[in-house]
Amino acid sequence: MATVNDPGRRAGEDGSGGPAAATDLHAFAVALRRMNGEINRLVHAFAGDHGLHATDVQALAAILDADAPMTPKRLREHLGLTSGAVTACVDRLERAGHVRRVRESADRRVVHLYYAADARAAARTYFRPLAEATDAARARFTGDELGVVLRFLAAMNEELGASADRAR
């Protein structure tokens, strides 16, 4: 797949002169960057309209997707921020009504972060175009194909997470 920054590369070539398979790394990189750019566009618009930073929206997603109550420490580790930056982020999110802090009853020092119900509704409305695009794209594939796509995305997240852990 040719790009402006890769003028010598012809579409359909893998760099060895032979035809590129549908699994060409360059094609994956371009598609993933484009999807990331589109999602970032939505995230930045949501953040701007709600007086938040893009990192705040990442924090909201982490809180929403957590399989157990999120703590500020886990959020700090997930986002790779300092404790002060996470405190400022959570303060902004709480002031904006997106999250609430709840002290653990057994140990009052433990704070859990929860996505506020009203904020969830606002996010659903704002990110509806992403949900609709996902649904429309899903309709173009069989269940078996979607299973492969989900396995690929899970593997990508696993690899990226391991890469981030190695970098720390």
Side-chain angles (χ1 to χ4, degrees):
M1 182 177 286
T3 66
V4 172
N5 292 321
D6 191 7
R9 184 182 183 123
R10 293 188 322 219
E13 287 196 358
D14 62 6
S16 65
T23 57
D24 176 52
L25 181 60
H26 180 72
F28 271 87
V30 169
L32 288 169
R33 278 193 301 269
R34 287 185 63 198
M35 185 174 65
N36 185 54
E38 291 302 319
I39 291 171
N40 278 342
R41 184 179 51 79
L42 288 170
V43 165
H44 285 276
F46 178 83
D49 287 353
H50 288 86
L52 303 172
H53 299 269
T55 302
D56 299 344
V57 180
Q58 289 178 322
L60 282 172
I63 293 165
L64 179 64
D65 295 342
D67 52 5
M70 183 63 77
T71 64
K73 179 183 178 185
R74 282 184 51 221
L75 186 59
R76 178 181 59 79
E77 291 167 352
H78 178 79
L79 296 176
L81 299 174
T82 64
S83 59
V86 166
T87 298
C89 172
V90 172
D91 286 347
R92 281 190 302 273
L93 292 172
E94 191 174 43
R95 273 193 311 274
H98 291 284
V99 299
R100 55 190 177 84
R101 289 177 170 117
V102 177
R103 294 221 176 259
E104 176 63 42
S105 61
D107 182 349
R108 302 289 296 156
R109 295 172 297 175
V110 177
V111 174
H112 290 153
L113 305 171
Y114 293 97
Y115 209 102
D118 291 346
R120 193 179 299 250
R124 261 194 212 111
T125 299
Y126 209 90
F127 288 99
R128 182 163 287 133
L130 178 59
E132 290 170 351
T134 301
D135 198 39
R138 285 178 55 232
R140 295 157 66 182
F141 296 87
T142 67
D144 288 343
E145 289 171 323
L146 290 172
V148 172
V149 170
L150 284 174
R151 282 195 353 257
F152 171 77
L153 292 173
M156 280 294 298
N157 288 327
E158 186 179 304
E159 292 294 332
L160 289 169
S163 176
D165 289 345
R166 284 190 298 273
R168 288 183 200 152

